[in-house]
Structures are given as structure tokens and as C-alpha cells.
Amino acid sequence: MSERSASAAGVTTPAAGAARLVRRRLRRRPGALAAAAVLALLVLIALAAPLLAHLAGQDPNAYHDDLVDSARGGVPLGSFGGVSGDHWLGVEPGTGRDLFTRLAYGARISLLVAIGATALQVLTGLVAGLAAALGSRPVGLVIDWLTNVMLGLPSIVLGIALTAVVPADFPRPLLLILIIGLLGWGQTARMVRAQALALRGLDFVAAARLGGSGRLRVARRELLPSLAAPLITFAAILLPISIVAEASLSFLGVGVKPPTPSWGQMLSSAQTWFRADPMYVLLPAGLLFVTTLAFTVLGDAVRSALDPREESRLRIGSRKERRA
């Protein structure tokens, strides 16, 4: 019976039971629920950025020279960076552009690049790790050597060099996804290779190979279901790293090009304004910190929820649960 027909017939499949168990474990962690709520809010803000800009009545790229003090070098007029009923989080120094709409559009770039780069890292590392574990010895040696090279490369320096030689009309978000993803798959490949080598010696994999299954079929039918949990956990760990990498490249001026907003780009331009307008520094830095922290907390919670030993640990803490 397939999983779809089993669910239609009201039969609980192993995958559905495992998903229900993970959800129950996550619900026991208030930190994980809070992190998931924060990330859901950030994703909603990123998706609804045009609608939010329309509701605020602001264009993220519109200049407002009348909202900055030209005599003081472009410092926003008013308190807290020019916060007002029209500009909910103030305006950008020097240009007077609305800060709320730019932060909302900047969330699109940061989250898009982070999710895309993480997906590319996981996919590339999965293919390379499985090929190293199941392929011939020469193939395994070549992939191991290439993995060590990728782990030893200075990613930020190489990323700066690559962005400098790529034509300016190439879409920058896609370029950042390719650079971060293709330079950061080494750790995933090493983890997948180690897990696949451990699984390859188990009875169910040996039985599949003795039954005539080829390497691709063994990888797809036997290894991938067992690798799902560590891959999900590793992806949750890689997401905040990808966010920081995108912000670092944008901070160094080789990321998304103006006028497209990005949190890292805003931090880069805020270097000269941190004394005159601290809000311009605190807002993108605070959003980066909160996003990275939320991904880290949620990733740790997912790792614990996918741990088969977690259920026994959770039962130890409560006398009522031990009696139950």
C-alpha cells in the first residue's frame, strides 16, 4: 500500500507517524515555537513587501531631500532617524528614502539568497557524498580530494574575486546563490559520505545489493530515506551561515547593487552614519541578528526532534510524564 492510499484509507504510515512525532517534540520547546514564529513573520514581510510599501504610501527608491538636513551632511530631520507617521522607521541618511520599505525589500534578498544557497549546498553535497561513498575507489579519491580543496578555500576572498569578473548585467541575487552554494558544499559532502559509508554496511543495504539493485537504486530507495534527518538538520545549520555570507559580501560592496536594497548593503553604507544616526545601523544589524538567532535556535530544535534518543530525554524531566 502506497503512502497516499494509506493516508486516504486512514492508516498511519511510518513517515506520517515520524512527522507527527517531530511536531510533538517541537511543540514542547517554547524557543523553537518562538523562532518559527519570528521566521514566519520575516518571510511574510518579505513576500508582502510591495503590499506593505503600498500601505505605507512609500517607494523604497524615492528620494526625499526635504527630510534630511543638508547643512549637517544629510542627517535625517527629527528624532530617531526621522520617525513619523509617514515614515514608520525613519528615513535613510543622505537620501531620505523610507527605511521601513527598504528593510522589507531587503528581507527578500537576504532570505532568497540564504534559502537558495543552502538548497544548492545541500543538493551538491548530497550528490558528491553519495558518489564518493558508492562510486569506485578512483571516483571516491577524486571527490575526497575536491572536498578537501573546497573546505580549504577562503570562501569570502574567492567570492569577492568571482563577483568582480562576472558581467555587471548578470542577476546579482542569482550570482550570490551560485557563489555561496558552490563554494560551501564541502561540509555537506563530507557528512553525507560518512553517513552513507556507515549505512552501506547494514543488512538492508546489503540485501538490496544482493537482490540485484544498482547503485542508483540503492541510493534512492535505501540511503536517501535514512539521510533525510541529518540533511534537514544540516540545512537548518547552514541557513544562518548563508545569511551571514550574503550580508558579508554585500557589506564589502560586491553583493546586490544599488538601488536594490539588502541588509548587508545597508550596513555597509551605515558605516559613516553610526554616530549621527544610530537607528540606521541598529535596524539592519538587529534584523540580521534576530534572523540568524531564529534559524540557529530552530535548527538546534529540529536536530533534537529528529534524534531518536530525544523522547527518553524528554520523559526524564517531568515526574508526571514518567508516571504516564
Side-chain angles (χ1 to χ4, degrees), residues 264-282:
Q265 178 197 102
M266 295 172 73
L267 276 176
S268 178
S269 60
Q271 294 181 83
T272 57
W273 299 99
F274 72 96
R275 291 185 181 274
D277 186 11
M279 292 295 293
Y280 188 42
V281 181
L282 293 176

Side-chain angles (χ1 to χ4, degrees), residues 6 24 34-35 69 88 90 116 131 135 145 154 166 171 176 201 209 214 219 222 231 282 296 298 302 319:
R24 187 172 72 246
D69 188 356
W88 301 340
W145 175 83
V166 174
L176 291 176
R209 301 186 71 172
E222 309 298 338
L231 279 176
L282 293 176
T296 303
L298 187 60
V302 170
R319 182 178 302 176

Side-chain angles (χ1 to χ4, degrees), residues 298-311:
L298 187 60
D300 182 70
V302 170
R303 178 194 59 78
S304 299
L306 292 172
D307 188 348
R309 298 166 296 180
E310 185 66 15
E311 186 72 15

Side-chain angles (χ1 to χ4, degrees), residues 7-321:
S7 60
V11 180
T12 301
T13 62
R20 189 178 298 111
L21 179 62
V22 170
R23 288 197 298 268
R24 187 172 72 246
R25 290 175 179 174
L26 288 176
R27 284 198 296 267
R28 296 178 183 178
R29 295 176 173 269
L33 296 178
V38 169
L39 293 176
L41 178 61
L42 289 172
V43 171
L44 181 62
I45 290 174
L47 294 176
L51 177 61
L52 293 174
H54 177 73
L55 292 176
Q58 300 295 334
D59 184 347
N61 298 321
Y63 284 60
H64 301 282
D65 296 332
D66 56 323
L67 299 178
V68 296
D69 188 356
S70 57
R72 298 174 57 195
V75 177
L77 297 172
S79 57
F80 301 104
V83 173
S84 63
D86 294 329
H87 303 279
W88 301 340
L89 296 179
V91 296
E92 188 178 58
T95 64
R97 293 182 292 191
D98 183 71
L99 204 52
F100 170 75
T101 55
R102 291 188 64 78
L103 287 171
Y105 275 92
R108 284 186 152 191
I109 299 298
S110 296
L111 294 177
L112 173 65
V113 171
I115 295 173
T118 301
L120 183 58
Q121 288 179 41
V122 170
L123 182 60
T124 307
L126 174 64
V127 173
L130 287 176
L134 300 179
S136 61
R137 182 174 176 80
V139 171
L141 291 175
V142 170
I143 294 178
D144 286 345
W145 175 83
L146 185 59
T147 301
N148 292 329
V149 170
M150 298 305 298
L151 290 174
L153 288 176
S155 301
I156 294 295
V157 176
L158 191 58
I160 294 173
L162 291 175
T163 53
V165 301
V166 174
D169 57 349
F170 193 87
R172 284 286 158 164
L174 178 59
L175 177 61
L176 291 176
I177 290 174
L178 293 175
I179 288 176
I180 298 173
L182 295 178
L183 292 179
W185 57 266
Q187 293 181 347
T188 308
R190 178 167 289 181
M191 183 273 296
V192 170
R193 178 182 179 275
Q195 294 284 339
L197 287 176
L199 293 171
R200 192 177 65 177
L202 298 182
D203 293 340
F204 70 96
V205 178
R209 301 186 71 172
L210 289 175
S213 298
R215 293 174 180 174
L216 289 178
R217 184 178 177 85
V218 168
R220 187 179 72 254
R221 299 291 299 273
E222 309 298 338
L223 296 184
L224 282 181
S226 300
L227 289 172
L231 279 176
I232 293 173
T233 302
F234 211 71
I237 297 173
L238 289 175
L239 273 168
I241 299 176
S242 299
I243 287 181
V244 173
E246 184 277 328
S248 301
L249 291 174
S250 297
F251 179 82
L252 295 173
V254 294
V256 178
K257 297 298 183 183
T260 304
S262 167
W263 292 347
Q265 178 197 102
M266 295 172 73
L267 276 176
S268 178
S269 60
Q271 294 181 83
T272 57
W273 299 99
F274 72 96
R275 291 185 181 274
D277 186 11
M279 292 295 293
Y280 188 42
V281 181
L282 293 176
L283 286 173
L287 284 173
L288 276 171
F289 171 76
V290 169
T291 306
T292 304
L293 179 63
F295 271 123
T296 303
V297 171
L298 187 60
D300 182 70
V302 170
R303 178 194 59 78
S304 299
L306 292 172
D307 188 348
R309 298 166 296 180
E310 185 66 15
E311 186 72 15
S312 61
R313 292 199 192 104
L314 291 174
R315 286 179 178 173
I316 292 174
S318 171
R319 182 178 302 176
K320 182 179 178 180
E321 288 184 357

